[in-house]
Amino acid sequence: MHMARRSLIFTVFLLLIGVTGGVHATDTRQPTHEFTLDNGLKVIVREDHRAPVVVSQLWYRVGSSYEPPGRTGLSHALEHMMFKGSERLAPGQASRLLSSLGAQENAFTSRDYTAYYQVLSRDQLAIALELEAERMHNLTLPEDEFLREMEVIKEERRLRVDDNPSSLAYERFLSQAYMASPYAQPVIGWMHDLNRLTVEDMREWYNRYYQPSNAILVIVGDVTLDEVRDLAGRYFVPLSNKPAPSARAPLELPGGAERHLTLTLPVQMPTLLMGFNVPSLPTVDQAWEVHALRLLAAVLDGGYSARLASHLERGDAVATSASANYDGFTRGDSLFLLSGIPNQSRDISLTQLEQALWAQIEQIQQTPPSAEELNRVQAQMTADLVYAQDSISHQANQIGMLESIGLPWSLLDEDIAALQSITPEQISEVARRYLVAERLTRAHILPIVTEETL
């Protein structure tokens, strides 16, 4: 059955039976175990025996928010170099081996973590773990490979950011929206920092953060605890450990300054960005606020019948598109984002679009959503969470992400109940508390005016 249709059927089912009495968090749980090796490596095993496949992920608690000014881009660059050879493997040899076995592999770097993963047959898990243990401690980081790879990364930055007006605008927006937090730094790094990174910088970064006690090994799929315990003992127990320095959460100023920037770039359409400084689950005092903010974003932008689509895109037709987004699962303080493109066919300005967005904010601040509207949004998010568990990679991603930002993996199994416990008034309360001008950064992104556009 097609995923979108199945999700729709499940949503309708939840509405019929009533969200609070229907699906409970226990319905998504798989047998999950954790243990820690003597060298500090945390291992989490989640059994899912529906197919003879396993995903192996190794997460390191280091990302761009750990980087000091002047050395931005280090974590992402090191991710690239992890594929460029170790004491027992030539550059690219591990990737060729995994490819010959039909395995999938890749890696990703974020502000909060760096992760490496393989999806492969259950009987090949030992190979993946042996390769990860090898490059955890035996990376060679040759200077010639480093210099070549830095040119690749600079070109990646040019293609993805410098020559992409939308990405460039968003990067500049974040640099203003985060006044005190290292989240203002781009994951790929500033170009002037990429030009001056050295292989010694990278070797020091690798030795500092790529340690067993700073990593989480997540295994999800057709495995048992005993199997993984034996393999972890074989490949990771021999590794020595040097504790990484403790990292403090990136905190943002709570407010006091409304900020505005105007960017003129070769974009096709003018765009409005509005970002409000808000807490995340690790930084908030009361966890319910984060779940209320997640539901607030869904009330505004949770499908065809959500408020922004209903009122701004179709009803008043002031926007050709309007969206809301909030990520509460970050190591530090986050942003609640609103964005939109004004309806130029009706000569709507960016200022008029912002006024329409403020009207939606003020309405929900003053009047809580109805029980029916909240039930619909909760049912939709519940359906998405339940069906996401069909993917072993998604399960591993969620476990690794939670652990990497300092939260227990068990929150994965409690998320549905947390969302279902939120009341309409709590949604209005977080809107009143956080969607205020002194927490706002606004960006107007304008097309370059040429003779052809006049």
Side-chain angles (χ1 to χ4, degrees), residues 3-41:
M3 181 64 71
R5 178 172 172 79
R6 186 170 61 176
S7 178
L8 175 61
I9 291 172
F10 188 74
T11 301
V12 173
F13 170 73
L14 286 176
L15 288 172
L16 289 173
I17 64 175
V19 159
T20 57
V23 173
H24 299 286
T26 53
D27 292 345
T28 66
R29 291 180 180 174
Q30 302 284 357
T32 307
H33 324 275
E34 68 172 86
F35 60 93
T36 302
L37 304 182
D38 289 344
N39 58 18
L41 177 68

Side-chain angles (χ1 to χ4, degrees), residues 232-252:
R234 183 187 313 169
Y235 297 114
F236 289 97
V237 164
L239 303 184
S240 61
N241 180 65
K242 182 173 65 175
S246 60
R248 297 179 179 177
L251 299 181
E252 190 46 75

Side-chain angles (χ1 to χ4, degrees), residues 57-78:
Q57 298 184 345
L58 191 59
W59 296 68
Y60 292 93
R61 295 185 186 94
V62 64
S64 61
S65 65
Y66 289 70
E67 296 160 0
R71 293 203 290 173
T72 62
L74 255 179
S75 301
H76 173 254
L78 179 53

